Every structure is written in structure tokens, then in C-alpha cells.
Amino acid sequence: MEAPGQALLSVRDLHASFHTDAGVVKAVDGVSFDLRRGEVLAVVGESGSGKSVTAMSLLGLLPSPPARVSGQVLWKGRDLVGLAEPEMRKVRGAEIAMVFQDPMSSLNPLHTVGRQIAEVVRLHTTSSKRQAWERAIEMMDLVGIPQARRRAKSYPHEFSGGMRQRVMIAIALACDPDLLIADEPTTALDVTIQAQVLELLQETKERTSSAILLITHDLGIVAGMADEVLVMYAGKVVERGPARDVFYRSRHPYTLGLLAALPRVDDEAADNRLRPIEGTPPSLIHVPSGCSFHPRCSFRRLETCSVDEPPLAAHGGEAHRAACHFAEDVVSVAPADLQRSVPSAAAAAPGP
Amino acid sequence: MGGEPGRKALDAALEDAPGARGRAPRRRWPQALGSYALTLLALVTLNFLLPRAMPGDPIEALAAEGSGGFTFGEQSRQALEEYYGLDGSLLEQYGSYLGRLARGDLGRSIATLAPVRDEISRRLPWTILLVGGSLLLATGIGLLTGVHAGWRRDRPLDRTLLTVLLAVRELPTFLLGSLLLFLFAVKLEWLPLAGAQDTFGSFGPVGKVVDIGRHLLLPLVVLGLGLAVGTYLVMRAGMVTQLGSDHLLLGQAKGLGQRRLKYRYAARNALLPVVSLAALQLGFAITGDVLVERVFTYPGLGRLLFDSLTARDYPVIQGVFLVVSVTVVTVNALADGLYRRLDPRTVA
Ligand SMILES: Nc1ncnc2c1ncn2[C@@H]1O[C@H](COP(=O)(O)OP(=O)(O)O)[C@@H](O)[C@H]1O
Ligand SMILES: [Mg+2]
């Protein structure tokens, strides 16, 4: 166990790239963060910003080749990057567990759900077959699957999407992991089911002292849950800090854009349509010079932003950091103002 | 191998292979039985019509076989037709064929006058040995190579296997068979040239088995290798699809080892398309068998079929086709059952 006060997980300057025929895809480019027990860290960003690759490189799950990972992933003080497979396997599923986006395809269609939960228990503990099966039923009960004992003998296709996601969470929690990585756990689900699954994750966090790394492209589901937020763009962290700061005192135009894209329930005057950020994320083979967000940014000043890459600098306290040359200008703008105050700049921004 | 139409069917099956999951939902027993019976009746009808659709007829063939230039007069022809039951309309012939079939009577060969049942049962064991053996061999080789190659896609082993096995597939059965015969039987004289056993030798029981094995080896390898390519390709494609699958990733994230992921997850899932291909493979095996038995002068059903086709020996052709039809339908049913056992999604 980590020393008191020390982070459970310390990621330092993590890089992950894919060497493809088209060139080197820099999917994760110098990501650092800390995660302590009992904490929920949300990683947000548009699709393709490198969230999943970050999660996968933590557990050494990227196929190599083509993937190359460097940097440090300090887990309870031990570096997981370059750890031998047999050692890594003892961490996976036991200490760090993962929940994936698509519960339909992530479960093995040919095994009963009970078996799939028991399998991970058998693997990481000394339980007998019987004990593992009982544990599986207990876990299914815990994640709110009715008639667990009977349903344990069912196959994934006999479950609804929400129930399947509960099964995946049961698999993840079966060995009492210290860290749960949930990669878009609700994206494939209906809105009502989404809320239930998030609630389940919340309960888990409260019941255990584990930490949660919640990956999502939807800032809306982060609000109620996350302690810390990490905003990623084109493989880099562009803003991070306590959730309250990132939400209410955003210092990066991209974060502001993500917030403005949310349908706002409290703002009755404005229409509730989504306002996505103009433009598309850049190719990760040819990332724009300077600040990689500058082609889409309504705050940019070309002579600065297209030349100098802004560092992830602290603003208003050590914890809140943003990588923007004009962070102090950004903080005075509310997401709702974004479209009104600088519409012409956004519209005039050239495509990447 | 297995001819051009077979190739097309295999290619089509390959395309479908990764998604070849959604099979028909489970049917009730009587319903399934009924549909098999109907299939069989349709096949029996086809078996009856097809030989008769070929140019020429048995009487002509008989004449051609006899002394050259000999032709039947109109009267003797009529007498012969009557004798062999070839008089009367097609419908009448069909009716009497069905009637005899219902009583288990397959008729007599026009060429040899021997009961068709005897002709078939004399040769059937050899064909079962050859076709069954090659299918086993092919399944073994195909699954083993397919699993390993697919799992290590694009690595040297995979590339080599792919090249070699595709080359084997391109090689005509006839050519491969003749080559091996020339090498091992003519040049090296390690293996016998023809037949299924040495009729003149007197062996003990062990010697007999060895002798049969030595005769079987080359035809078995030629037929089996060709069939193995199909299984290999489907299994490899299945494994490759599995490699990128989400459930494999979850398995990995659970901390499972490579072996377990490879066999319990990937191979087990990739097996399904292979099972659904079983009946098709049997079809290839039977077509291949006819060629192989001819190249190696193997005394099985393939030879009998070939000879009876040449002689337009309708009863024998029908008899052989019947055996083949029943086998294919049965194997199809068995494969269906196996598939349902292997894939819980088919049991609704
Ligand atoms: N196996 C791979 N080979 C090449 N590029 C990849 C691979 N996996 C992911 N990428 C690229 O890495 C980038 C980040 O992907 P990802 O982390 O999945 O984004 P997201 O933030 O949506 O989870 C994307 O541009 C994606 O195309
Ligand atoms: Mg993702």
C-alpha cells in the first residue's frame, strides 16, 4: 500500500504513440496527473482526444506493435510502464479494474455471466469454484441485478443493455480493486439507464475507499460525480483542477466550448440545442503548431498561439492549471456568453 | 481444390464467416424432422432426374461398350428397355422408383446386373475410411494452423502458412495426386501405386492394417490437405476478427493469461463459423473424393459413381446419390445441433 498522503496513482509525462503506415499517431502526448484514494477523476474531451489510449496505457493493454508507451505510471509507488506481463496480469482486474463502453460486445457471448464474474475471482484469489460462484452471485446482487442466483446462469444476450453494464461493473468490482477505470460507461446506454449506472458507480465510490477514473466525452455526467477534472485535447491535458474550478472558472477556451455545448436546463431563455465547438479535432499525425487548439479557438491571437505552445500553468492556486496563453481572459467569460460575445471570431476561424 | 464452384462457395462462406452467427432459431422436433424429410424427397427427385437429363442412355452405353459398330435393332432395344424398367413415361418410372425405394429396394445395376445395394456396400467402407479420415485430418490441421496463424497475424508463421496453403489450394487435385504418386510410388517405391489393399499378400491382422494404411496414405493426404485449406482460412479469419474484439480486451483487462484468451475466448468463438461450414466441407470432400479415387484407383464410391456415370447406369447413379444425399442432410443436421450447443444465442 502507498505511503499515507501519497497518491495511489501518479502518472508522469505519459506518451503513447502508434506507428502506422500513415505516420506516427501521437495519441497521448505528455499527460501527468495524480489520483488519491476515494477520489473520482474525470477525464473529458471530444472523441479522439486520447482518453481511451491513456486508460489503456495505464494497464499496458495497447497492442505493441504498433503502440509505444513511455513515461511513468506509478502505482502504489511501482512503475507499471515496462512491467513484465506476468506481474502486470496480477494488477489487471485485481488492483485496477476496467469497465468499457459497450456492454454488448465486451462480454464473452459464449459464457454465462456468472462464469465471467467467477472467472476473475478464481484468477486473483484462492477461492474454490463454489466460493467464486457464490461471490459472483453476491456481486450481481450488489450491482442491482434482480434474482441474481438464477440470472447468473444466463448468457449476456439474455440481458438488457443496462443489466449487461451492471454485469461488467460486477466483474470489475469482484476483486475489490483499488482503482476502477470506467471508459465511457454510459455512452452506449439509454438516458434513464445512464443515470442508474452512474448512481451505481457513485455508490461504489462511497462504499469502498477505491478511486475512480471516469472517462467521458460528456461533461454533463461529470458534474455530480467528479472531484477532479482533466480536460484532454489532441493527446494533451489542456486544463485540470478541482471540478468546481474547471466548471465555474474555466481557463481554457476548449473547456468553455465543451461547457457551452451542453444543453443547459437552468438557462430557460437560451434554446437548448447543442452548440458543438466549431471545426474538428486535428489529425494526431500532424498536430497544429503552437497551441494545438488554436485553429478552432475564438480567443487566439495568431502571432502568439500558432507559434508558442502554452505550458500547463497554475492559475488561482496550485491545483487549477490550464494550457492557454490567455487563460486570464478566458476566466471572465461564462460558457453561455461564448456564442454571444465572440461569435464572429469563432465563425471566421479557418478550418484546421 | 474441389473445383471452381466449390471455390466460390468457400469464398462466400469466408466473407460471411465473422458474422456467421445469426442462425435460424430453434425449431421443434417434428417440424425439423419434417423439413429434413422434405429436403430428402427433393434430393431423391433430383437424383432421379439428373442422370436422365444427361445426353445418351444406358442402352446406348451398353452398345458402345460391346463389340464396336454393334447397334440394337428397334425390337431388341424395346425388349432391353422393358427388361431394365426404362420403358414407360418418366412419371411412371419415377413412381416405380419411389415405390421400390420405400421398400428399401435400390434396384439392379444395368451394367453388372448386381443389386445396387451390394455394389454400394462393397465400396462404402473404403470411402468412409478415405473421406472420414481426410475430414478428420483436415479439421485437425485446419484448426491447429488457423488458430496459431490468426493469433499471430502477419508474423512469419502466419505469412508462411498462408502462402503455402493458398498454393496448395491452387494446385489441381489431379496434378498433386499424380505428382505424389510418381514420387512415392514410382520413383521411391515406398508406397503402393493403386488400390486399397494388397489382394495377393497374406498378412496377419496387424499386417493387414499396415497394408491398408499404406494404400490410404497418399489419397488421404491429397484429399485432406485440400480440405484443410478451407478450415484453416475460416478459422484464421475467425481468430483475426476475435483479436480486435471487445470481449477479448475485457478478458485481458481482467488479467487473464494469453493461453486462456487464445483458446477459451478467441478460438472458442472462432470455432462457430467452422461448424457452420461443416456441411459445405463434406460437399467438397465428396467432390474431391471422386477425383482422388480416380487418380489413386481407389475402390470406393467415387470410382463407382464415375463408372456408373460413364455407363449411364441410372440405378447405380441414383443409389450413390442417395447415399450422398442422406449423408449430407444428416451431417447438416448434426452440425446444426452442434452449433446450437456451442452458441447459447441460438437457443431462444
Ligand atoms: N491501434 C491504434 N492504431 C492507430 N491509432 C490509434 C489506435 N488506437 C487509437 N488510435 C488513435 O488514437 C487517438 C486517440 O484515440 P482514443 O484514445 O480512443 O480517443 P478517445 O478520447 O475518444 O477515447 C485517435 O486519433 C485514434 O485514431
Ligand atoms: Mg474512447
Side-chain angles (χ1 to χ4, degrees):
Chain A
M1 181 159 289
E2 75 282 2
Q6 197 188 332
L8 186 64
L9 175 71
S10 249
V11 175
R12 289 288 168 270
D13 201 25
L14 185 69
H15 286 81
S17 55
F18 298 96
H19 293 247
T20 67
D21 294 336
V24 179
V25 181
K26 289 191 190 164
V28 177
D29 194 5
V31 167
S32 302
F33 61 86
D34 284 338
L35 190 51
R36 276 162 289 275
R37 278 190 186 276
E39 203 173 69
V40 177
L41 171 68
V43 179
V44 300
E46 286 166 300
S47 153
S49 51
K51 307 181 297 292
S52 297
V53 174
T54 303
M56 305 261 282
S57 26
L58 297 183
L59 275 179
L61 290 177
L62 293 174
S64 166
R68 251 177 244 179
V69 177
S70 64
Q72 281 186 314
V73 174
L74 293 173
W75 173 250
K76 299 177 179 177
R78 178 166 66 152
D79 192 357
L80 298 185
V81 175
L83 193 68
E85 261 298 297
E87 286 302 304
M88 199 71 201
R89 282 207 292 271
K90 288 183 200 152
V91 177
R92 289 184 197 136
E95 298 180 28
I96 304 178
M98 254 184 115
V99 171
F100 293 98
Q101 173 174 339
D102 190 352
M104 175 73 219
S105 57
S106 292
L107 296 172
N108 189 335
L110 304 185
H111 294 170
T112 62
V113 299
R115 179 174 166 186
Q116 298 189 51
I117 305 170
E119 183 177 40
V120 73
V121 177
R122 286 274 280 164
L123 188 67
H124 294 294
T125 67
T126 53
S127 337
S128 68
K129 251 190 168 137
R130 249 214 101 66
Q131 289 167 323
W133 186 257
E134 288 304 318
R135 173 74 177 163
I137 291 163
E138 185 190 327
M139 290 312 298
M140 287 175 69
D141 216 23
L142 187 77
V143 298
I145 297 171
Q147 294 183 286
R149 187 164 295 279
R150 193 172 61 80
R151 296 294 273 161
K153 295 198 193 94
S154 303
Y155 291 90
H157 73 275
E158 296 167 301
F159 284 73
S160 68
M163 284 296 150
R164 272 186 221 129
Q165 194 56 294
R166 285 171 194 265
V167 170
M168 193 145 47
I169 294 173
I171 292 174
L173 298 180
C175 296
D176 289 321
D178 301 303
L179 169 62
L180 179 68
I181 302 177
D183 189 351
E184 312 255 8
T186 60
T187 306
L189 305 177
D190 294 340
V191 183
T192 46
I193 313 292
Q194 278 188 8
Q196 291 172 14
V197 168
L198 285 174
E199 199 174 315
L200 176 60
L201 288 176
Q202 185 81 44
E203 279 169 28
T204 305
K205 179 206 153 189
E206 277 155 21
R207 201 186 56 252
T208 65
S209 63
S210 60
I212 296 181
L213 186 69
L214 177 66
I215 295 175
T216 177
H217 66 271
D218 182 0
L219 268 178
I221 72 166
V222 172
M225 252 191 102
D227 303 306
E228 295 269 327
V229 175
L230 198 91
V231 183
M232 281 187 77
Y233 185 75
K236 294 194 174 83
V237 177
V238 293
E239 179 162 10
R240 75 158 201 247
R244 218 174 305 107
D245 291 345
V246 174
F247 278 121
Y248 297 112
R249 286 178 286 281
S250 320
R251 288 177 192 273
H252 198 286
Y254 180 60
T255 315
L256 217 52
L258 289 177
L259 287 169
L262 287 176
R264 301 199 54 98
V265 278
D266 54 328
D267 186 359
E268 278 166 27
D271 56 320
N272 281 1
R273 272 176 306 141
L274 295 172
R275 299 191 207 92
I277 308 173
E278 299 263 338
T280 50
S283 143
L284 294 179
I285 298 177
H286 305 289
V287 187
S289 62
C291 169
S292 46
F293 186 60
H294 85 258
R296 302 170 71 187
C297 184
S298 47
F299 292 85
R300 62 150 185 234
R301 285 170 216 157
L302 269 182
E303 62 286 3
T304 316
C305 297
S306 65
V307 180
D308 293 330
E309 193 183 335
L312 189 65
H315 297 275
E318 190 53 27
H320 189 187
R321 290 169 169 266
C324 177
H325 295 297
F326 304 103
E328 296 310 323
D329 299 347
V330 176
V331 76
S332 59
V333 179
D337 302 332
L338 191 61
Q339 310 291 323
R340 289 166 219 154
S341 60
V342 276
S344 52
Chain B
M1 277 193 265
E4 207 35 50
R7 273 281 288 284
K8 294 243 170 65
L10 181 60
D11 287 337
L14 266 174
E15 302 232 311
D16 287 345
R21 276 172 179 167
R23 281 218 146 189
R26 202 225 297 258
R27 288 170 298 180
R28 304 249 168 266
W29 257 105
Q31 205 185 336
L33 220 60
S35 93
Y36 286 129
L38 265 179
T39 312
L40 216 54
L41 183 67
L43 286 172
V44 163
T45 309
L46 260 174
N47 294 349
F48 174 83
L49 289 175
L50 277 180
R52 286 167 174 79
M54 296 192 299
D57 64 48
I59 315 284
E60 261 175 48
L62 223 58
E65 198 183 90
S67 42
F70 175 84
T71 47
F72 293 112
E74 196 47 38
Q75 264 190 339
S76 41
R77 194 186 163 90
Q78 249 171 32
L80 279 168
E81 279 185 353
E82 212 170 304
Y83 179 73
Y84 291 120
L86 297 168
D87 55 340
S89 71
L90 206 59
L91 204 62
E92 281 166 0
Q93 288 186 38
Y94 180 58
S96 75
Y97 169 57
L98 281 189
R100 267 182 284 121
L101 200 58
R103 276 176 275 121
D105 179 7
L106 297 180
R108 276 172 186 277
S109 160
I110 293 174
T112 66
L113 292 179
V116 171
R117 182 207 289 268
D118 294 351
E119 292 276 6
I120 289 178
S121 53
R122 201 146 46 87
R123 290 165 168 95
L124 192 59
W126 296 120
T127 295
I128 292 178
L129 196 63
L130 178 55
V131 170
S134 339
L135 279 172
L136 279 182
L137 182 76
T139 307
I141 294 178
L143 290 185
L144 215 69
T145 51
V147 165
H148 290 294
W151 188 249
R152 318 214 108 240
R153 175 168 64 143
D154 293 338
R155 306 283 173 85
L157 173 79
D158 178 37
R159 302 224 162 182
T160 315
L161 273 174
L162 199 60
T163 317
V164 170
L165 286 175
L166 282 180
V168 166
R169 189 167 89 146
E170 291 306 319
L171 221 57
T173 310
F174 196 79
L175 190 66
L176 181 66
S178 309
L179 265 172
L180 291 181
L181 257 189
F182 180 72
L183 186 65
F184 290 103
V186 179
K187 277 280 158 200
L188 298 169
E189 292 186 29
W190 289 351
L191 292 169
L193 197 56
Q197 58 184 339
D198 202 334
T199 25
F200 303 110
S202 54
F203 308 105
V206 179
K208 199 172 157 81
V209 169
V210 170
D211 179 53
I212 289 176
R214 277 163 45 85
H215 281 83
L216 186 64
L217 189 62
L218 282 183
L220 188 78
V221 165
V222 170
L223 190 54
L225 222 51
L227 294 169
V229 181
T231 307
Y232 157 79
L233 286 173
V234 174
M235 193 64 189
R236 180 186 179 276
M239 288 299 280
V240 168
T241 313
Q242 287 296 315
L243 271 184
S245 72
D246 290 341
H247 72 90
L248 208 66
L249 182 65
L250 180 66
Q252 228 183 330
K254 283 160 89 172
L256 297 177
Q258 291 290 307
R259 276 183 85 75
R260 210 178 166 84
L261 291 172
K262 183 174 176 182
Y263 295 106
R264 291 280 181 85
Y265 276 63
R268 177 72 165 69
N269 274 276
L271 197 61
L272 294 174
V274 176
V275 173
S276 50
L277 209 68
L280 199 58
Q281 277 287 75
L282 179 67
F284 294 150
I286 290 166
T287 344
D289 171 70
V290 176
L291 286 170
V292 168
E293 284 192 12
R294 203 168 138 61
V295 173
F296 293 95
T297 336
Y298 207 76
L301 275 191
R303 278 292 298 180
L304 182 63
L305 179 63
F306 187 87
D307 293 343
S308 59
L309 280 171
T310 318
R312 302 286 186 269
D313 197 341
Y314 295 160
V316 178
I317 301 176
Q318 283 162 189
V320 176
F321 277 177
L322 182 69
V323 172
V324 170
S325 305
V326 171
T327 313
V328 170
V329 169
T330 310
V331 166
N332 202 10
L334 288 177
D336 233 45
L338 181 62
Y339 194 100
R340 283 169 211 289
R341 290 202 63 126
L342 287 177
D343 189 348
R345 284 165 298 187
T346 50
V347 188

